[in-house]
Amino acid sequence: MIKKFTTTGCAVALFLSAFAQETPDAAIVQKIRKEGLENSKAMDIAFNLTDVSGPRLSNSPGLKKAQEWAVKQLSDWGLKNAHLEAWGTFGKGWQVDKYYAATTLPYYHAIIASPKAWTPGTNGPIKSEVLLIKADSVADLAKYKGKLAGKIVMMDQGAPLTSGIRADFSRYADTTLAQMAAATPTAGGGRQRPAGGPMADRMAQMMKMREVRAAIGALLLEEKVGLILTYARGGQGTFFTSNGASYALDAKPVSPELEVEAEDFLHILRLLKGGKKVEIEADVKTSFYDQDPKGYNVIAEIPGTDKKLKEELVMIGGHFDSWHAATGATDNAAGSAVMMEAMRILKAIDFKPKRTIRIALWSSEEQGLFGSRNYVLNHFGDPKTMELKPDQKKISAYYNLDNGTGKIRGVYLQGNVAAGPLLQSWLTPFNDLGAKTITVSNTGGTDHQSFDALGIPGFQFIQDPMDYNTRTHHSNMDTYDRLVEDDLKQAATIVASFVYNTSQREAQIPRKELPVPQPARP
């Protein structure tokens, strides 16, 4: 999500005259380009994170397998202090061991679906006529009591599909990038919505729906329902997944639940509404893992060599965890592979940085940026109170990648106007690769926010959208096949160059004013 800004005269003046541009070392840039574009290992890294490791849901065996592989690989490249660092307690891990579901009446048809994360299995094969539950209020549920044990059920929900009006796959047009570059800063941030009106009505409707859904869930559990079929957002064979229960160690039990791809769900729904009998057979097995409820980040570094600056840090990262319906290729094996490849490039050219360069591959980003937020809390300070630790002053910048496989087109400044000319000059050697745009705008929803919240320069790169939001983000289509090799090569090359420049300059990256402490909630 991008937050727009409005102009303030002094900020624009600062942007134009902050300091002279710094010219990157052409010889080093050429070495980085040659290694990154001609000898890339980005796709091999991505292969190991996706096809080999499998889904990387938080605290799942797949995530742990990928983390252990990454620690070994980073060590083999010559990085130091490669390890798994605990950030705190997450909760239970979970994975799908087996999934099968199909209609057997009115005819056989395999159903495209996935168990919802952190839901139980069916405890063996089941077969049942499908029961359609219609309930607009809690009172409507009384008629179902005593009739649901062992049944496969679905709710009367799901909107008819409509043909898409835009292509799945896209890159940023020059005009769009120009608009982003022309954005101007404001002190305000978000737009305030007026109280009352349609928004308040919609919120009231949502609260009512949640109440009914919670009551339905409680009834289905009490009745020992066999399996719930839920409508999944998406279409054309793609569905976007989510969790169906809490991962907390003391989470309340829930019923088995499948998230069903739209065409299959609506097919069954039409038959039931038309008075036809539908029968389904299913066998779902899932496993929970609570032996080690801690969350871990992968950490490794190239130590600094300058006597004055080696205690300072340049950090790069991306989140390592994914959802479970596919192998998390674009979200975010792509970003993780790019950051690992950037570190490999720097080691391959035998770079001896002034500042220490540290990579962090975060866990549990999908549940709330937990890995990066707790890392910042443990190492740099508390954004709620703005009580800073000494190392907060020692980190020059953090660079993040987490918007799919698309190549880098520029950088979001997060309102850090003073850093604009500097980062613009660092993009110049890569203008021929399509990276030109610096925008003062914010972008959200990923791990650079954890650093920005504590006054540390934290940047997310602008990336071409590709089919990230339309087809792969949190979906069953997020597989290795969706990665674009040339884009990952370009991105890793640019990241490596940015890291080089940040580590070598005498001064740190300019900072914004420190955020104010967040008021305590009543």
Side-chain angles (χ1 to χ4, degrees):
M1 180 178 66
I2 297 174
K3 294 181 180 178
K4 297 291 185 181
F5 288 81
T6 56
T7 307
T8 59
C10 62
V12 173
L14 178 62
F15 183 87
L16 296 174
S17 61
F19 41 75
Q21 290 185 354
E22 298 181 14
T23 303
D25 186 316
I28 294 296
V29 169
Q30 185 55 37
K31 289 178 70 174
I32 289 173
R33 284 181 66 120
K34 181 176 178 61
E35 182 63 32
L37 300 179
E38 298 180 16
N39 301 317
S40 177
K41 301 294 186 291
M43 293 302 287
D44 181 65
I45 298 168
F47 166 73
N48 280 282
L49 298 184
T50 57
D51 288 346
V52 176
S53 297
R56 301 179 307 283
L57 190 72
S58 289
N59 270 22
S60 69
L63 177 61
K64 292 183 182 298
K65 180 179 180 180
Q67 289 174 326
E68 291 168 358
W69 176 85
V71 168
K72 183 178 186 303
Q73 183 63 81
L74 292 166
S75 296
D76 290 347
W77 288 336
L79 276 73
K80 303 301 181 184
N81 195 30
H83 66 285
L84 294 179
E85 179 176 313
W87 51 256
T89 298
F90 172 76
K92 293 181 289 188
W94 178 92
Q95 75 172 10
V96 179
D97 298 320
K98 182 178 183 180
Y99 157 70
Y100 165 73
T103 58
T104 52
L105 284 177
Y107 50 84
Y108 178 86
H109 171 72
I111 296 171
I112 299 174
S114 174
K116 275 197 167 187
W118 288 287
T119 60
T122 56
N123 197 27
I126 63 171
K127 191 171 187 177
S128 163
E129 182 178 350
V130 181
L131 178 64
L132 181 63
I133 293 180
K134 300 180 181 182
D136 296 322
S137 68
V138 175
D140 293 338
L141 298 176
K143 59 188 173 185
Y144 296 106
K145 287 188 176 181
K147 302 177 181 179
L148 303 177
K151 296 290 186 181
I152 297 175
V153 304
M154 64 190 300
M155 313 303 162
D156 187 1
Q157 67 178 101
L161 292 172
T162 56
S163 299
I165 58 175
R166 64 171 181 165
D168 282 352
F169 185 97
S170 65
R171 292 189 183 274
Y172 278 127
D174 290 342
T175 52
T176 302
L177 292 169
Q179 291 174 353
M180 295 170 73
T184 50
T186 181
R191 180 180 60 181
Q192 289 188 343
R193 293 188 177 98
M199 180 61 69
D201 293 340
R202 285 195 293 270
M203 287 298 294
Q205 291 173 359
M206 288 178 61
M207 292 301 293
K208 180 181 178 182
M209 289 173 58
R210 288 177 183 175
E211 180 186 8
V212 173
R213 288 174 182 172
I216 291 174
L219 174 67
L220 297 180
L221 183 65
E222 181 182 344
E223 294 281 309
K224 298 182 179 179
V225 70
L227 182 64
I228 303 169
L229 308 180
T230 302
Y231 179 84
R233 180 176 62 87
Q236 296 81 48
T238 297
F239 65 89
F240 298 89
T241 192
S242 61
N243 62 298
S246 170
Y247 45 79
L249 294 174
D250 59 352
K252 296 180 180 179
V254 297
S255 302
E257 186 171 358
L258 285 184
E259 213 155 24
V260 181
E261 185 267 343
E263 282 88 355
D264 282 345
F265 186 95
L266 294 172
H267 160 232
I268 298 168
L269 184 61
R270 286 192 301 271
L271 288 169
L272 294 175
K273 286 187 171 183
K276 306 300 181 182
K277 182 178 179 180
V278 179
E279 187 179 71
I280 286 179
E281 62 182 14
D283 189 3
V284 179
K285 182 181 179 182
T286 65
S287 293
F288 293 84
Y289 300 87
D290 58 6
Q291 297 91 339
D292 182 3
K294 292 180 180 179
Y296 296 88
N297 298 318
V298 175
I299 306 294
E301 57 192 28
I302 303 175
T305 59
D306 185 89
K307 291 182 179 179
K308 177 183 175 183
L309 299 176
K310 65 182 180 180
E311 298 302 320
E312 294 188 5
L313 285 174
V314 181
M315 288 193 66
I316 63 173
H319 76 86
F320 216 47
D321 60 308
S322 76
W323 285 99
H324 60 289
T327 53
T330 67
D331 186 28
N332 183 38
S336 297
V338 163
M339 294 311 190
M340 290 183 68
E341 169 68 0
M343 298 297 274
R344 188 202 66 80
I345 291 169
L346 295 174
K347 287 298 295 182
I349 67 170
D350 197 28
F351 175 46
K352 302 293 193 299
K354 291 182 178 180
R355 292 177 175 86
T356 295
I357 301 168
R358 183 175 296 165
I359 183 173
L361 303 172
W362 313 113
S363 66
S364 302
E365 185 270 356
E366 297 293 2
Q367 286 71 47
L369 315 185
F370 291 160
S372 60
R373 281 179 173 167
N374 282 285
Y375 184 89
V376 167
L377 180 66
N378 294 337
H379 288 268
F380 303 126
D382 188 345
K384 293 181 180 179
T385 63
M386 289 309 296
E387 293 179 5
L388 305 180
K389 297 185 178 182
D391 283 352
Q392 191 269 357
K393 295 181 179 180
K394 295 181 181 180
I395 177 169
S396 182
Y398 169 76
Y399 300 104
N400 194 75
L401 201 71
D402 179 25
N403 280 146
T405 189
K407 66 182 178 182
I408 287 175
R409 305 304 300 276
V411 184
Y412 293 101
L413 292 178
Q414 299 299 124
N416 189 344
V417 177
L422 179 64
L423 301 190
Q424 186 77 70
S425 69
W426 293 352
L427 281 180
T428 300
F430 305 101
N431 287 175
D432 64 315
L433 300 181
K436 300 179 180 181
T437 303
I438 296 293
T439 178
V440 74
S441 298
N442 292 355
T443 187
T446 189
D447 294 293
H448 68 291
Q449 291 180 290
S450 301
F451 291 80
D452 184 63
L454 204 68
I456 297 168
F459 305 106
Q460 163 74 14
F461 290 96
I462 302 168
Q463 294 175 259
D464 273 332
M466 315 301 276
D467 54 357
Y468 186 62
N469 289 313
T470 56
R471 186 62 59 177
T472 66
H473 181 240
H474 297 184
S475 86
N476 62 321
M477 294 294 176
D478 195 7
T479 63
Y480 178 92
D481 315 86
R482 298 287 176 167
L483 299 174
V484 179
E485 182 172 2
D486 286 345
D487 287 15
L488 298 188
K489 290 179 179 179
Q490 182 255 27
T493 302
I494 292 173
V495 170
S497 181
F498 266 57
V499 170
Y500 167 82
N501 289 321
T502 308
S503 70
Q504 298 305 94
R505 70 188 308 261
E506 285 302 312
Q508 292 185 355
I509 300 298
R511 297 191 173 200
K512 301 182 292 186
E513 291 184 11
L514 282 175
V516 297
Q518 300 174 13
R521 294 183 179 180

